[in-house]
Amino acid sequence: MSKYSKERIAMPATIQPFTNQPIFAALTTKQRAILAAAIDVFAEKGYANSSTHEIAKRAGVAEGNIFSKFGSKAGLLQAIIDPVVETIFPTTMDRLAAAQLQKPAATLTGFITALVMARVKFFANNAAVVKVFLGEVIYSNDIRQRLLANLPERYWRAVHSELEHLRTTNQIVAWSDQAILRLIWSLVGGTLVSTLYFNQPLADGDVQRLITALIKALTPSKEA
């Protein structure tokens, strides 16, 4: 039996929610193991400091299997990034719009909680993938623009509808949608980045404090 037999293939448990996505249904067990090992190694060491040799070793496969399916280390990275940009994150946001943002927003608290918890849940289920993705999106305007372009129209319509309701009822500051979302994404992103890169555990209390801080920042001042 080859030392790269099926029994030796390693699949990090923390990566399985990502590799089990329907978009990867056509991949073989070995190819999924390669993808999972790449995510694991890229998240741990960074893309530049990783090698296909180490990825193959961690996956329990021959290095040639990487080249035959993904072409190169860059191709392997693209096989991780593209599904996030084109399918996984847009689908997550579409589900959020359908489940949480289709109803008229009753309160600012409900709106902020829905947005924050959706991002925290996505992060919790895909932490290593998020770390790899952020490492690329920071330096690539192309990836950022593709991500925004692929967010579903239903998500944007639902967010605008809720923000308009909150502005009309004077529950939120009279800022543009873009300014409000920029603040939300900045604070949420900063919290998640500190968790990923500075080994700060993300406890329930931290999430609640984040929600409270956003509500406070976006509540209109009583001084007129």
Side-chain angles (χ1 to χ4, degrees), residues 73-96:
K73 186 173 77 167
L76 197 47
L77 178 65
Q78 186 175 353
I80 297 167
I81 298 297
D82 284 354
V84 175
V85 172
E86 296 171 6
T87 303
I88 295 172
F89 193 69
T91 298
T92 299
M93 293 298 98
D94 191 55
R95 288 173 180 165
L96 169 65

Side-chain angles (χ1 to χ4, degrees), residues 7-29:
E7 287 73 25
R8 286 178 52 88
I9 292 174
M11 181 75 75
T14 54
I15 314 299
Q16 287 183 11
F18 180 77
T19 55
N20 285 340
Q21 295 276 352
I23 194 172
F24 299 116
L27 296 184
T28 65
T29 300

